[in-house]
Each structure stands twice: as C-alpha cells, then as structure tokens.
Amino acid sequence: YVANGLISYDAAVWYINWNKFQTLVPIFGANYIGNAESGVTAKGFEGTVTVKPFEGFSVLSTLAYTDSKLDNDEPVIFGLKDQRVPGLAKWTASMNARYDFAFSGDMMAHVGGGFRYSSAAAGSFDDGSALSPSFNFPAESYILADVNAGITFGEKYAVNFYVTNLFNNLVYTNTSYEKIFGALGVPARPRTLGMVLSVDF
C-alpha cells in the first residue's frame, strides 16, 4: 500500500525452462498430444494495481506479458525454433471500476464496468512441411467491455445484474487453420445478460 491506502499493487516476474513440453496438435478435426523434446523457454511478468481515490470507488487494473517459444525445431509437433506456443497471447490487460454507495435504509448498491484486452495469439505450430496438418492462423487482438450493478439487502440478500461483451463484438479467442477442414475458431461468448440472486445463511 502507498499514499495511505490510495494505491495498492502487486507484481511478479517469472522465467521457466520447461523440458519435454507437451502440447495439443490439431489434426483432421481432432487433437493429439505431442512432446517438444528440447522444451520451451517462457518468461514474462504480471501485475495488478488498485486505486481508491475516494470512499466507495475503486479501479482495478491488470497487465500481463508472456513470451513462450520453442527452444529448437520440433518435427513431432511441426514446430520451428522460436515459434510461439499457440493460444497464448503476448499481452493481456483489463481495467474495472466499481462504485459502492448507500441506496436506501440498510440497502447498499454498486455499479461498475470495465474492459478486457488480449493481443493476437498464434493458432498452431507450422514448420511449412507438406506433412504439417495446420497453418498458423493467428487469432486477432480484441477488446471486450462488461458492465454490472447490484443491490445488497442487509447482510443476507443480494441481487446482481451483469452484461458481458456489452457491444456484442464477434471475436475469436482461439483459432487454427487445418488443411482439410479449413479455418476453425472459438468465438468469445456474445452479449450476455444475467442476474444472480444470493442468500447468506
């Protein structure tokens, strides 16, 4: 904590040398587990900062960086040295704000919202050989917004409302391109409205 609790933070830096790394390799609509015998070198950092400028209001921000690459050519998984591990975005970030306030009597309320960001991620290992079942078809970077609100009744009851992917953006969080089936992708959940009722007992 710094500035009398105005700001709090935590951070971590990491480095991993992972021998015989296992990964899923897409092939003809299925997957098999293959070994990267020489392994993967992965490094990165992640951090969180929370700012509370005044009573009831807080902003939580996160940032993470990941760099995971093959140490050598890996023909079993159709990978080349220094290719990034599929499905792992190099950068991710988020920011969420929340305001809590007295609503009426013993009822408290809150409103909030924020965004989620991910940079592009590799779709698959691809050594360019005729035997490789897939092309590296990377997922694009994206930003999604979410909002929420709720009311707490005393100490036992609460109702919360939320909307994820507020602007209903069509993005793919994971992709690949197989030589037989073509492009495959996992879309982010479309705009979703929900309500949660909770009781403490």
Side-chain angles (χ1 to χ4, degrees), residues 63-142:
L63 178 67
Y65 170 80
T66 302
D67 185 24
S68 301
K69 296 179 179 179
L70 293 175
D71 290 335
N72 285 296
D73 293 350
E74 299 288 350
V76 172
I77 60 173
F78 307 101
L80 297 176
K81 180 180 179 180
D82 290 333
Q83 283 188 336
R84 291 167 51 200
V85 174
L88 292 180
K90 181 173 286 189
W91 291 97
T92 59
S94 69
M95 179 177 288
N96 291 279
R98 173 170 167 144
Y99 179 52
D100 292 87
F101 56 95
F103 185 68
S104 177
D106 64 348
M107 291 188 295
M108 295 292 295
H110 73 267
V111 293
F115 73 87
R116 297 169 277 147
Y117 166 78
S118 176
S119 65
S124 61
F125 291 119
D126 178 15
D127 61 6
S129 71
L131 296 177
S132 176
S134 301
F135 297 113
N136 179 19
F137 183 59
E140 296 181 345
S141 61
Y142 63 86

Side-chain angles (χ1 to χ4, degrees), residues 2-199:
V2 296
N4 295 320
L6 173 64
I7 301 173
S8 61
Y9 63 91
D10 61 75
V13 178
W14 49 271
Y15 177 91
I16 301 173
N17 194 321
W18 191 340
N19 292 324
K20 297 186 182 298
F21 173 79
Q22 289 188 328
T23 185
L24 291 176
V25 180
I27 181 170
F28 310 137
N31 292 287
Y32 74 87
I33 297 177
N35 283 341
E37 292 295 326
S38 295
V40 167
T41 296
K43 55 185 179 295
F45 66 83
E46 55 189 43
T48 301
V49 176
T50 302
V51 180
K52 297 181 178 180
F54 55 87
E55 183 67 26
F57 183 71
S58 62
V59 179
L60 173 66
S61 303
T62 68
L63 178 67
Y65 170 80
T66 302
D67 185 24
S68 301
K69 296 179 179 179
L70 293 175
D71 290 335
N72 285 296
D73 293 350
E74 299 288 350
V76 172
I77 60 173
F78 307 101
L80 297 176
K81 180 180 179 180
D82 290 333
Q83 283 188 336
R84 291 167 51 200
V85 174
L88 292 180
K90 181 173 286 189
W91 291 97
T92 59
S94 69
M95 179 177 288
N96 291 279
R98 173 170 167 144
Y99 179 52
D100 292 87
F101 56 95
F103 185 68
S104 177
D106 64 348
M107 291 188 295
M108 295 292 295
H110 73 267
V111 293
F115 73 87
R116 297 169 277 147
Y117 166 78
S118 176
S119 65
S124 61
F125 291 119
D126 178 15
D127 61 6
S129 71
L131 296 177
S132 176
S134 301
F135 297 113
N136 179 19
F137 183 59
E140 296 181 345
S141 61
Y142 63 86
I143 298 177
L144 299 177
D146 309 306
V147 295
N148 60 82
I151 298 176
T152 301
F153 304 87
E155 298 181 355
K156 293 186 61 176
Y157 307 99
V159 56
N160 293 281
F161 304 90
Y162 63 87
V163 182
T164 58
N165 193 359
L166 178 64
F167 301 108
N168 201 32
N169 294 331
L170 177 60
V171 299
Y172 291 90
T173 59
N174 203 314
T175 58
S176 64
Y177 193 103
E178 298 192 23
K179 293 180 178 178
I180 291 181
F181 292 96
L184 303 173
V186 178
R189 180 182 294 181
R191 182 191 296 122
T192 302
L193 288 73
M195 180 179 70
V196 177
L197 298 172
S198 58
V199 180

